[in-house]
Amino acid sequence: FLRGDAPDLASGMRAARWYIGDEFCERRLPSDAAVERWRRAGALKGDRITLVTPPLTGRGVARATELVSRLADRIDGRFEVVINDWGLLRPLKGLRAPGLEFVLGRLLSGSYARTGMPAGKTVPKALLRELAPLPFLRRMGNPVEDDMISDEFSEPFLRFMLENRIKGVEFNLIRHLLGARDQLRRNSLKAHVYWPYAFLAWSRFC
């Protein structure tokens, strides 16, 4: 994550993708000054910027929309905006920003997944072998098992995402990703998963 008080981080470190913004607090959305510092530092390059947005008030929706519009003017190429409030999607769809890609945030994605492993479907053993050596799974006692409960999205919700130009989904837990990964592949949707730490609760008081 890039923060407004650390513009030198953008020029001094290599990263495949920079995250800016905040997914829990609208008061921590980047300021104009921070965006300009990152631009001068060379961080705002297309195809590697993701703006994370939180649940928003009406004023927050207006501020986030203005922020995305400014980023669209400064970024040459594609960039992602993580949506954690449906109220932000409509104004952003109205922007003239051909490089803008929407990603469904993890604060929303977990609310639309159906819990339960589909009949006859198990977690592929090849994937289990791939995940098992990860250090954080060893520390947690390797909770990834063949009979684990998994999640997937309903077909109507998948169509809704595609119709609203959502190009990817963020997941709070690997369990959620395992259940939905085949659906995402079939519909050419990207997946981002947070690990080893997941959020348990959030509040609008920030």
Side-chain angles (χ1 to χ4, degrees):
F1 272 87
L2 285 179
R3 299 301 184 190
D5 57 353
D8 56 326
L9 186 66
S11 58
M13 293 182 63
R14 292 183 179 181
R17 178 163 294 277
W18 292 110
Y19 275 68
I20 61 177
D22 193 282
E23 61 184 330
F24 300 110
C25 181
E26 70 176 46
R27 294 194 299 112
R28 299 186 68 181
L29 289 173
S31 64
D32 289 345
V35 171
E36 181 60 21
R37 285 198 295 271
W38 295 333
R39 186 192 66 80
R40 292 178 180 176
L44 300 184
K45 295 181 179 179
D47 298 329
R48 67 170 191 164
I49 291 293
T50 296
L51 171 65
V52 184
T53 63
L56 299 162
T57 61
R59 181 177 298 179
V61 169
R63 183 184 171 198
T65 303
E66 292 175 2
L67 173 60
V68 173
S69 180
R70 290 194 298 271
L71 286 173
D73 291 337
R74 289 172 167 85
I75 296 176
D76 183 17
R78 296 176 301 171
F79 69 102
E80 297 178 342
V81 174
V82 175
I83 303 291
N84 280 303
D85 190 316
W86 290 121
L88 181 60
L89 186 59
R90 175 174 288 184
L92 292 191
K93 286 170 60 178
L95 295 179
R96 293 185 178 180
L100 175 59
E101 293 187 353
F102 302 129
V103 176
L104 184 66
R106 59 177 175 166
L107 274 65
L108 287 177
S109 65
S111 302
Y112 294 91
R114 301 180 303 183
T115 301
M117 185 68 73
K121 181 178 180 181
T122 60
V123 179
K125 293 185 180 297
L127 182 59
L128 293 176
R129 289 193 297 270
E130 179 181 342
L131 292 174
L134 294 178
F136 80 95
L137 285 179
R138 289 200 299 270
R139 290 197 300 270
M140 295 171 60
N142 195 6
V144 184
E145 300 174 353
D146 291 81
D147 59 351
M148 67 185 291
I149 298 297
S150 189
D151 299 328
E152 65 175 11
F153 297 110
S154 68
E155 291 301 322
F157 185 69
L158 279 173
R159 290 196 299 271
F160 172 83
M161 287 195 289
L162 296 174
E163 290 169 358
N164 284 277
R165 296 163 39 195
I166 293 174
K167 302 294 185 180
V169 181
E170 293 203 330
F171 295 94
N172 191 44
L173 300 170
I174 284 185
R175 174 173 68 86
H176 298 158
L177 172 60
L178 293 177
R181 69 191 192 111
D182 290 341
Q183 291 181 313
L184 300 183
R185 285 176 176 173
R186 289 196 302 269
N187 292 280
S188 299
L189 291 169
K190 298 180 292 186
H192 301 171
V193 63
Y194 287 77
W195 62 272
Y197 303 110
F199 84 89
L200 297 179
W202 63 273
S203 170
R204 290 186 182 272
F205 295 96
C206 62

